[in-house]
Amino acid sequence: MAAERTIFHADLDAFFVAVERVLDPSLIGKPVIVGGLGPRGVVATASYEARKFGVRSAQPMAVARRRCPHAVYLRGNREKYSEFSHRFFNLLDEFSPTVVHVSIDEAYMDMTGSERLFGAPKHVAENIRQRTKQELGIAVSIGIGPSKLVAKMASEEAKPDGVFEVLPDEVEAFMASKPVRAMPGIGPKSAAALSELHIETLGQLAAHPVGPIRRALGPNIAGWLQLRAKGIDNSPVAERSKARSISAETTFAEDISAQDEMLDVICHLSEKVGRRLRSSRMYARNVSLKLRYPDFETITRQVTLQQMVDGDDVITSAARELLQKALAQRSGAVRLLGVGVSGLGERAAQLSLLDAAVQKDSAISGALDAVRGRFGDDAVRRGS
Ligand code: TTP
Ligand code: MG
């Protein structure tokens, strides 16, 4: 038997609204909706007061306005959200060397063995909540469980403004009563297919013969889902990526020779690489550039940075500098450009030692990932 793990899932409550309320306390207690205010805007988030009227994230704003006409509607302020997100993750870093960001306001923390240092998990979670409220002025809910899956579901249970702990011997019962939709990874389609089999709860899913589930959902995920329905999830908090480098390149339909255009492409490729780097929770030491000329001469150039980085800005500026140097040696048209990072390492436990600009770049890039993840790659670009 592997030793029991203790994992936290921390998720800020109604995050964008919570920040707006710090900036303008007169919003406290009112229904508040943050999102796109144009004709095709969608709700980013709604305060719990507005959720009572059926307003939800990702809903068209027009629907929200119908359901909750008396709410305060705000466009929001992404820079501020990034700043609060950054401060939140910095605070979490004080409590565990393994804090993995999963979105702008949400992280898993491996707290296994932290008892000696900080005390019982519930006590630590309360402590984190208090400090988040004191230092950021916003509420966070924390789920505690022996796996990421259970911790995540426990944090849903904890919301709003609470802690919910599921002990190892409570896992099966905790899972069994939940509707199948409560499990991350089961969407409306899978839920409908399971409902055809009269499977409504995770307990029923776990106990059902696997054959019909295989036929309904596919052979690969049926067994896996049944394990998860029992709360079994051995995935590590921090995935150890075996990748030793990450790169992206593009070959042009027609050679390009305008330097502005090349710099734009470098920016785009750097963001792509940065995003993959962050999603594998790695930091990079080296940035490289690949360049192919129309006659197929291909060069690569690499620079080693002062510190480990994972933000789009640092990667972009390093790659652009390499491009400018390469073009100084041989200018003219190019047919391919590529950007890569290597010298990869896990997120430094001493992240707070990194210099402020690199940290800020990392936080903003991470925040943009969350938005891009939801709305597509080109949903947001950073101004340079
Ligand atoms: P969530 O943590 O999913 O939502 P939340 O923090 O607003 O509410 P709670 O956790 O208490 O249920 O998302 C975090 C932020 O991400 C949210 O405040 C706004 C943004 N977001 C979007 O922009 N679009 C979306 O579709 C979702 C789900 C979130
Ligand atoms: Mg949240």
Side-chain angles (χ1 to χ4, degrees), residues 11-15 105 159:
D11 185 327
L12 297 167
D13 293 345
F15 175 46
D105 77 329
K159 274 184 183 298

Side-chain angles (χ1 to χ4, degrees), residues 11-16 44-45 48 51 57-58 105 159 374-375:
D11 185 327
L12 297 167
D13 293 345
F15 175 46
F16 289 5
T45 194
Y48 283 71
R51 290 183 199 189
S57 292
D105 77 329
K159 274 184 183 298
R374 288 190 169 110
F375 306 116

Side-chain angles (χ1 to χ4, degrees), residues 15 26 83 92 115 124 131 137 175 183 201 215 266 379 384:
F15 175 46
S26 78
E83 181 199 318
L92 298 184
E115 208 129 334
V124 184
R131 289 208 33 206
M175 300 296 286
M183 193 163 87
T201 67
R215 285 189 289 280
I266 292 291
S384 42

